[in-house]
Amino acid sequence: MFADEARFGRMNRPRPCWAPQSIRPKVAAQLIREYVYLYGAVTPQDGSCVYLIMPTSNTACFQVFLDALSRRFPRQDILLVLDGAPNHRSGQLIVPKNIKLLFLPPYSPELNPKENLWDEIREKIFKNYALKSMKDVRHKLEQAILYIDRNPKLVKSITSFPYIAKSF
């Protein structure tokens, strides 16, 4: 499994969109610095994912995510590939017995297919929205989780990098 976390919030960046010829689309923009974090893990082999919405990105939240992942797959040994963020390497972290962490080389997010799923969520679910509250952000994240969960073939196509597919 590959894991990562991403920040989602009320600050948006307008993105290109289609509109009828001679009509300029109107897209709201806002700079409100309120965020939540979506922790996620993906199995490129079958497209299955695990997600958890958390208030911040720190060791305590990552610990909750690891515990949830361990409970979701209690009878499986999980090799969890992730970046070397400080909260992933903290000495305070208690890694569950069925999870082994494998860290990617520094400055190599392109090796983690989970990054491509964040792009998919931002492009398909969060594109050109100016959300009025954090409740709306959480609701959009719940929509994103359902969208990803209901499309395992899409997840496989996005995350099955050649070097990963050869290892199946």
Side-chain angles (χ1 to χ4, degrees):
M1 291 189 100
F2 291 82
D4 197 23
E5 65 276 335
R7 182 172 69 179
F8 292 88
R10 295 185 59 205
M11 184 182 296
N12 70 333
R13 186 179 80 213
R15 296 177 182 238
C17 61
W18 291 100
Q21 193 171 4
S22 75
I23 294 178
R24 184 177 181 141
K26 293 182 180 180
V27 176
Q30 63 187 14
L31 296 171
I32 300 171
R33 289 177 170 86
E34 292 180 320
Y35 306 101
V36 292
Y37 287 79
L38 184 60
Y39 283 74
V42 62
T43 305
Q45 187 173 11
D46 63 6
S48 64
C49 297
V50 176
Y51 288 102
L52 195 58
I53 301 170
M54 299 298 287
T56 189
S57 177
N58 61 22
T59 303
C61 289
F62 186 58
Q63 182 71 61
V64 170
F65 176 71
L66 285 179
D67 294 341
L69 186 62
S70 177
R71 283 191 308 273
R72 174 91 182 265
F73 302 102
R75 293 186 180 99
Q76 293 180 355
D77 290 326
I78 300 168
L79 177 62
L80 193 62
V81 181
L82 61 165
D83 61 28
N87 58 327
H88 299 164
R89 294 181 176 266
S90 172
Q92 299 172 346
L93 200 60
I94 301 167
V95 180
K97 291 182 181 183
N98 65 331
I99 296 178
K100 171 103 170 95
L101 303 181
L102 177 65
F103 296 103
L104 291 168
Y107 308 106
S108 59
E110 69 278 359
L111 296 177
N112 191 342
K114 191 73 188 110
E115 299 285 349
N116 293 9
L117 282 179
W118 300 141
D119 292 339
E120 178 73 8
I121 289 170
R122 286 188 171 96
E123 183 66 27
K124 297 290 192 306
I125 308 296
F126 278 82
K127 183 179 179 176
N128 292 332
Y129 278 95
L131 300 169
K132 297 182 189 285
S133 70
M134 288 308 293
K135 181 179 178 184
D136 292 342
V137 173
R138 284 184 182 85
H139 179 69
K140 276 285 187 198
L141 285 174
E142 290 165 2
Q143 286 179 0
I145 291 167
L146 286 175
Y147 168 72
I148 295 296
D149 279 345
R150 291 177 179 162
N151 292 291
K153 287 183 182 177
L154 174 71
V155 172
K156 274 180 75 170
S157 72
I158 291 173
T159 60
S160 290
F161 293 178
Y163 78 92
I164 297 168
K166 288 178 186 176
S167 69
F168 297 157

